[in-house]
Amino acid sequence: MKILILGSGGREHAIAYKLSRSSLVSDLIVAPGNPGMKATLPGLRTKNISVTDLEGLLEFALSEKPDLTIVGPEASLSVGVVDLFQQNNLLIVGPTKAAGQLETSKAFAKKIMFAAGVPTADYSEFTNQQAALDFIIKSSQEKMVVKCDGLAAGKGVVVCQTKEEAKNAVSALMSEKLLGENVDHLIIEEFLEGTEVSAFALCDGEHFTFLGTACDHKRLRDGNLGPNTGGMGVFAPARCLENGDLEWMETHVFSPMLKAMKELGMPFSGILFAGLMKTHDGWKVLEFNVRLGDPETQVLLPLIEDDLIPWFKASAIGEIKKHQAECGQKNPTRKKENGVHVVMAASGYPGTEGVSVRLGDEISFDPTFVLSDSDFLFYAGVDAVENIFKTKGGRVLGITSLSDSAELARESAYHKISQIHFFGAQFRKDIGAKA
Ligand code: AMP
Ligand code: GLY
């Protein structure tokens, strides 16, 4: 099969790595991809087209005729790449623009969760600043969470410890252009406390298969301090799960969401990624994303034993249930090992602390740097200039290590990280550490 992957980060490098191992795949193209994945996966081709350039992507796909396209980033989904490819009879894994509203609109996701009876924080919705401020003043709670409705690359959620902070957040978002433009739609949510878990299901509009769980570390610094980032590291599987939790998520989160979306006339296909919190009151969904997580994918996919191509294809053609019956498995087999992934980011990342992200630094490796079969180097924001890798993005690269022991996986990932160097590199030292 010829496979096209859309995206350019560590997530897409991990997808490309996983699919490159499939005996069904003969040709792998990533658009736009990055030079790191090209250097490490022999035969992989990259094509420099932006993930939101619908015309360019369609023209390329019609000329290459991939058997299956897999979408990495939400940006492609939110402009409707799935709708367009489907209209042109190109098989693609991912939700339509309408179904993708589960990620692109927090208010939409909340409405569906309430309609479907999926446990989530209470919330109110506002399109008027004064109404939001009045709500905060009258609230019986000091702590609350202000979230802008649309996509905001992780910058649209403000967790507020006091009413004063919440009022400031509303003003900053609605009239002081905190996100570049003023936001005209936001929600204010009940503050929840607990341990966060990301859970991933691959869906086909009606049925789903479970891909696994992971724990992301979104803050820049150790101990969950510093600004929010896209994710600085992850371990998998999540450790706070108890017997029955996965079954609970299937029955109380994924099944009712798929049923509700189908009833609405927006059947959900592709990856449904639930961000959940284990509170004293049970599990609650914080948010949905409609794609694989970055960096969760960098550990989730190496932990999957089976070839994912038949599962991805089953998702695209609405045959997950049929595939489950044929292969006699509910889910792709997952390795029993533990995985840890540590991200190395550029100096200044994420660029929200008054310094800009520094790019263009050479990346070097100790001469003794070697990867074993259970270590993986996934490139993200890198450029190649005459065979020398240079930093080109906030999150530059990451190392995943797998081991029977979570502690050994962690040691191995950090050993590899210590052998990679570039100016001002930032990484957390506590990914996968015992709580
Ligand atoms: P979201 O994009 O909605 O997942 O929010 C980003 C982060 O904000 C989450 O990973 C949580 O750490 C935090 N967060 C979101 N909603 C809540 C909530 N209701 N209570 C406490 N923290 C939250
Ligand atoms: N790592 C969180 C995300 O991909 O949204």
Side-chain angles (χ1 to χ4, degrees):
M1 290 170 77
K2 185 189 279 194
I3 306 291
L4 173 62
I5 299 169
L6 306 186
S8 64
R11 165 180 51 204
E12 289 75 22
H13 190 172
I15 298 172
Y17 158 77
K18 177 68 186 159
L19 301 188
S20 73
R21 315 271 297 175
S22 167
S23 58
L24 299 169
V25 174
S26 53
D27 197 359
L28 203 49
I29 315 169
V30 191
N34 71 50
M37 55 177 81
K38 205 170 161 179
T40 50
L41 295 172
L44 179 134
R45 292 189 281 151
T46 56
K47 174 71 182 175
N48 194 13
I49 311 173
S50 153
V51 295
T52 53
D53 174 4
L54 287 183
E55 226 172 276
L57 289 171
L58 180 63
E59 191 187 329
F60 181 65
L62 288 175
S63 71
E64 286 285 346
K65 299 189 181 60
D67 297 295
L68 192 62
T69 298
I70 292 150
V71 189
E74 60 274 25
S76 293
L77 298 166
S78 70
V79 293
V81 74
V82 170
D83 309 61
L84 183 68
F85 273 41
Q86 284 176 347
Q87 283 153 18
N88 287 277
N89 296 318
L90 292 158
L91 268 193
I92 182 162
V93 182
T96 59
K97 189 173 173 178
Q101 287 178 91
L102 285 180
E103 176 162 359
T104 54
S105 167
K106 301 257 185 209
F108 176 85
K110 280 289 195 186
K111 272 192 203 101
I112 310 292
M113 281 190 258
F114 271 84
V118 172
T120 183
D122 281 337
Y123 79 110
S124 299
E125 194 175 337
F126 301 94
T127 50
N128 174 287
Q129 184 174 346
Q130 195 52 50
L133 295 173
D134 289 344
F135 171 86
I136 295 168
I137 292 163
K138 289 196 194 113
S139 167
S140 60
Q141 305 293 321
E142 268 298 309
K143 294 183 181 181
M144 58 193 98
V145 185
V146 178
K147 300 185 175 183
C148 87
D149 182 60
L151 279 184
K155 293 179 197 158
V157 175
V158 191
V159 179
C160 306
Q161 302 298 326
T162 62
K163 287 188 177 188
E164 210 46 44
E165 281 181 35
K167 286 195 281 182
N168 290 340
V170 166
S171 304
L173 285 166
M174 293 188 109
S175 60
E176 292 156 23
K177 302 192 175 171
L178 179 70
L179 299 179
E181 289 301 322
N182 282 331
V183 169
D184 56 12
H185 191 177
L186 50 77
I187 64 172
I188 300 182
E189 208 174 272
E190 170 196 11
F191 174 85
L192 301 175
E193 252 171 320
T195 310
E196 285 183 48
V197 169
S198 308
F200 297 87
L202 176 68
C203 313
D204 70 356
E206 192 167 0
H207 300 101
F208 67 93
T209 182
F210 203 64
L211 296 183
T213 60
C215 277
D216 190 12
H217 296 61
K218 287 206 176 89
R219 300 297 192 105
L220 179 69
R221 301 198 180 89
D222 291 7
N224 293 326
L225 299 173
N228 252 321
T229 71
M232 292 299 290
V234 57
F235 65 82
R239 295 176 195 157
C240 64
L241 296 179
E242 289 169 30
N243 270 345
D245 278 349
L246 290 182
E247 291 75 14
W248 185 92
M249 288 175 195
E250 291 184 11
T251 318
H252 293 90
V253 178
F254 293 110
S255 287
M257 287 303 287
L258 290 194
K259 187 160 173 280
M261 291 298 284
K262 188 163 181 245
E263 281 167 8
L264 255 184
M266 303 176 187
F268 187 92
S269 186
I271 302 281
L272 189 55
F273 158 1
L276 295 130
M277 191 180 263
K278 188 177 196 169
T279 72
H280 63 85
D281 203 18
W283 287 99
K284 303 219 174 171
V285 174
L286 292 181
E287 65 160 349
F288 282 108
N289 296 309
V290 300
R291 40 145 186 109
L292 283 164
D294 189 345
E296 286 93 332
T297 305
Q298 288 89 308
V299 64
L300 212 58
L301 295 198
L303 278 172
I304 292 179
E305 186 81 60
D306 291 349
D307 187 349
L308 277 179
I309 287 288
W311 292 98
F312 279 145
K313 188 170 174 201
S315 158
I317 60 177
E319 292 192 350
I320 287 193
K321 194 169 179 193
K322 184 166 171 237
H323 182 65
Q324 287 169 323
E326 277 169 8
C327 70
Q329 282 178 220
K330 198 168 151 213
N331 305 314
T333 312
R334 293 195 291 274
K335 296 178 188 167
K336 297 273 179 290
E337 287 163 293
N338 294 275
V340 172
H341 177 81
V342 181
V343 169
M344 280 181 105
S347 163
Y349 177 76
T352 50
E353 292 189 306
V355 265
S356 48
V357 183
R358 184 184 151 118
L359 308 175
D361 289 304
E362 184 174 335
I363 304 166
S364 66
F365 295 81
D366 283 354
T368 52
F369 181 87
V370 271
L371 293 168
S372 76
D373 286 350
S374 26
D375 302 309
F376 308 84
L377 165 59
F378 295 124
Y379 284 104
V382 295
D383 205 359
V385 184
E386 289 167 3
N387 290 334
I388 292 176
F389 283 125
K390 299 207 164 170
T391 59
K392 192 193 172 188
R395 289 187 290 179
V396 174
L397 55 82
I399 293 281
T400 297
S401 292
L402 309 185
S403 170
D404 293 338
S405 137
E407 197 45 42
L408 288 180
R410 184 177 135 71
E411 269 174 32
S412 173
Y414 275 107
H415 176 61
K416 300 286 175 276
I417 289 284
S418 75
Q419 296 182 301
I420 307 175
H421 314 277
F422 55 88
F423 181 89
Q426 305 187 78
F427 60 90
R428 276 181 62 159
K429 321 246 171 349
D430 62 348
I431 309 296
K434 282 207 186 85

